[in-house]
Amino acid sequence: MKYPVYYRTVEVDGVSIFYREAGPKDAPTLLLLHGLPSSSRMFEPLFHRLADRYHFVAPDYPGFGHSDAPEPKSFSYTFDHIAQIIDRFTQSIGLTRYSLYMQDYGGPVGFRLALAHPERIETLIIQNAVAHNEGLGKNWVTRRAFWADRATHEAALRTNLLSLETTRTRHVGSDPKIDRYDPDLWADEFDFLNQPGQADIQTELFYDYRTNVASYPTWQAWMRQNQPRMLVLWGKYDLSFEISEPEAYRRDVPSAEVHVLDGSHFALDTAADEIADLVNAFLHRVA
């Protein structure tokens, strides 16, 4: 391979951050921010298709993938803190300008980076990540109850968020073509969620997700004011988020390029060729 994927670690604030890197370093850089309960591994399909023309950097958040997973007693699992760690990660490896590719949890992390350092952001690529309250689907009834009364609803939240059924549904969603999905996707993630301490880590971080919802108006105002160059990619079979969300982004940024894909929450599972073509075409147009 002319541009192989490299698997590296760097220490940030005493935490080992694992990341995948591919492509020529003098090419346009994409910082790829993953979702729950995935890791930088979810972006491998893009590496295989576009690493000859883009520089990809995909970190695992603390508590995810191959990065360190400190106990919640010694590490604050909040989106503010994770964004700070990823910000320092980018500085430690010398990233000064990049496009943000944000999926699921990548949205809350990425918007925090964009608001803190808008001068670093070249474009936003949003794939099944929410920035509008109405974009949260039926699953969020249990999750909102957990935010309102943690002690009463934590057991239900853990089932809703971390069960094998939910882990599978995040990938398959309502897609009728189930045979397109590799079951290793959710089997591996469910195995990860059952590692010692993971349930506590993910519960702590998800309790903080309420701060993202509270921040949505701020993110929307930033988009309306700054009108970033934006590509929105949306797997239409996603049961976590509402199909109305792509158009909500277009209300904030009328020039946003929006594509609804034949995929689910992790659209790269089944639509990697189309996503790679759309990302490549978008970045060429805005270059």
Side-chain angles (χ1 to χ4, degrees):
M1 295 175 63
K2 185 176 181 180
Y3 297 107
V5 179
Y6 293 95
Y7 306 92
R8 295 174 165 140
T9 60
V10 63
E11 187 171 303
V12 180
D13 294 352
V15 178
S16 177
I17 298 297
F18 173 88
Y19 66 104
R20 299 165 200 256
E21 185 172 18
K25 290 194 175 184
D26 59 351
T29 296
L30 281 82
L31 178 63
L32 305 160
L33 300 176
H34 67 80
L36 166 78
S38 190
S39 69
S40 57
R41 170 180 164 178
M42 67 170 282
F43 295 113
E44 290 276 359
L46 279 184
F47 294 173
H48 297 324
R49 289 162 173 82
L50 295 177
D52 60 332
R53 65 204 83 171
Y54 299 104
H55 175 218
F56 290 117
V57 176
D60 291 350
Y61 312 139
F64 289 78
H66 296 288
S67 290
D68 280 351
E71 293 183 359
K73 293 179 181 179
S74 62
F75 184 91
S76 177
Y77 282 97
T78 68
F79 284 90
D80 278 349
H81 193 196
I82 286 179
Q84 290 167 7
I85 294 286
I86 298 303
D87 181 10
R88 290 171 187 146
F89 160 79
T90 64
Q91 296 175 53
S92 71
I93 65 169
L95 296 187
T96 57
R97 291 279 291 173
Y98 46 81
S99 291
L100 276 174
Y101 188 120
M102 306 183 290
Q103 194 272 340
D104 188 54
Y105 275 15
V109 176
F111 275 112
R112 283 171 169 82
L113 294 179
L115 268 66
H117 303 288
E119 73 283 356
R120 299 179 187 172
I121 308 304
E122 294 183 335
T123 71
L124 299 182
I125 302 172
I126 297 168
Q127 191 253 294
N128 292 78
V130 169
H132 305 82
N133 191 45
E134 61 270 28
L136 302 179
K138 295 179 181 178
N139 277 337
W140 295 78
V141 173
T142 300
R143 299 170 186 185
R144 292 179 194 273
F146 168 66
W147 298 334
D149 184 350
R150 178 170 181 169
T152 300
H153 298 283
E154 183 163 325
L157 179 280
R158 291 192 180 209
T159 298
N160 176 273
L161 189 69
L162 307 176
S163 69
L164 177 59
E165 179 182 0
T166 300
T167 307
R168 178 182 180 276
T169 298
R170 265 190 290 262
H171 285 276
V172 175
S174 60
D175 193 339
K177 297 178 286 293
I178 296 173
D179 57 356
R180 298 194 303 164
Y181 293 86
D182 182 351
D184 286 348
L185 293 165
W186 54 86
D188 288 353
E189 289 177 358
F190 186 65
D191 181 67
F192 163 74
L193 288 171
N194 279 278
Q195 292 179 7
Q198 263 301 314
D200 292 338
I201 288 171
Q202 299 305 333
T203 301
E204 284 297 320
L205 183 58
F206 193 79
Y207 186 62
D208 189 66
Y209 199 99
R210 71 197 192 283
T211 66
N212 301 329
V213 180
S215 297
Y216 288 168
T218 302
W219 303 348
Q220 294 161 24
W222 181 85
M223 287 187 283
R224 289 194 297 269
Q225 179 178 350
N226 291 275
Q227 294 297 301
R229 296 178 293 181
M230 181 185 296
L231 172 65
V232 181
L233 306 169
W234 206 263
K236 65 183 179 181
Y237 299 117
D238 190 347
L239 291 178
S240 297
F241 301 143
E242 294 294 323
I243 192 63
S244 62
E245 184 66 1
E247 289 304 320
Y249 280 112
R250 186 140 52 187
R251 289 197 303 270
D252 295 325
V253 183
S255 64
E257 183 178 327
V258 175
H259 297 272
V260 177
L261 309 173
D262 192 25
S264 190
H265 184 67
F266 293 103
L268 283 166
D269 290 349
T270 58
D273 287 341
E274 184 178 5
I275 289 174
D277 288 344
L278 290 169
V279 167
N280 185 47
F282 168 73
L283 292 175
H284 269 289
R285 278 195 294 276
V286 301

